Amino acid sequence: MRRAQALRDVLEQDIVTGKFRPGDRLDEQSLAARFEVSRTPIREALMQLASTGLVELQPRRGAFVASLSFKDVVERFEVMAALEGMCGALAARRITEPMQRELEKAHEDCVREASQENADAYYYANERFHHVIYEACQNAFLAEQAQHLHARLKPYRRLQLRARSRVANSLAEHQGIVDAIRAGDGDRAERLLREHILIQGERLADFIASFDRAA
């Protein structure tokens, strides 16, 4: 599964940065040859990508890159910002002491990964940080919706961290969010989380633009 995840991460980048275009067929045999692996981890990676909406699996035809425009992605970030803001506002009012400790531990994990200057490792610690906030809001329906859209935006949230200084800035934003939730300041927690998510869409655009220039 770790091999499939690594392959998925590479294919995510290829899709988001335009190496593969909407409608392109992702041939298992060709990809297996490219990565020098069997078709099994390729198939697992494609299934993972399908779960996030980046790939469409068509019976008897194979896997194809989904038709998702950058405007579609930006609209999803706007909805994600609203959902996360709501989670933060409720978490500031409802978080328990054990959950507060879990949130601070998740933030400490982000600090540790940021010090290693590995954007992908930081992303996975960052993912846990946000999921703790979803849990802390104590609204099961809201948490479910946030988790679902988070999964759909995972490729873009991960890659935007490669924009210059984004990991360091993200970490600073996390600290403000932790402080607001700890203080029970729902309005501030909501505002900071909304801004935190909206800027991810901007940094994604920066990353893609820099990739295009390098190409």
Side-chain angles (χ1 to χ4, degrees), residues 22-37:
D24 282 354
R25 185 170 185 269
L26 300 170
D27 180 68
E28 289 183 10
Q29 186 171 347
S30 297
L31 292 172
R34 170 186 168 187
F35 294 110
E36 300 181 340
V37 296

Side-chain angles (χ1 to χ4, degrees), residues 133-170:
I133 294 174
Y134 305 160
E135 295 168 19
C137 83
Q138 298 192 52
N139 181 313
F141 179 76
L142 176 58
E144 180 183 17
Q145 298 306 306
Q147 290 166 355
H148 175 73
L149 189 50
H150 188 125
R152 302 283 288 189
L153 286 173
K154 182 174 184 174
Y156 306 98
R157 295 181 73 147
R158 183 176 68 85
L159 292 179
Q160 58 86 26
L161 289 167
R162 299 186 183 183
R164 182 186 301 178
S165 303
R166 181 59 198 140
V167 168
N169 291 338
S170 171

Side-chain angles (χ1 to χ4, degrees), residues 1-17 20 34-35 41-42 44-46 48-49 52 54 118-124 127 154-159 162 207:
M1 289 302 293
R2 285 194 298 271
R3 182 57 172 162
Q5 179 175 307
L7 292 169
R8 183 206 65 201
D9 287 351
V10 174
L11 292 172
E12 274 183 354
Q13 177 169 326
D14 286 350
I15 293 170
V16 173
T17 58
F20 291 121
R34 170 186 168 187
F35 294 110
I42 296 294
E44 291 171 353
L46 293 175
Q48 291 178 27
L49 291 171
T52 68
L54 271 186
N118 184 324
D120 284 349
Y122 175 82
Y123 167 77
Y124 290 108
E127 182 179 48
K154 182 174 184 174
Y156 306 98
R157 295 181 73 147
R158 183 176 68 85
L159 292 179
R162 299 186 183 183
F207 171 74

Side-chain angles (χ1 to χ4, degrees), residues 80-96:
M80 187 81 256
L83 291 177
E84 293 228 9
M86 292 172 64
C87 288
L90 291 176
R93 289 164 41 194
R94 299 175 177 177
I95 195 168
T96 63

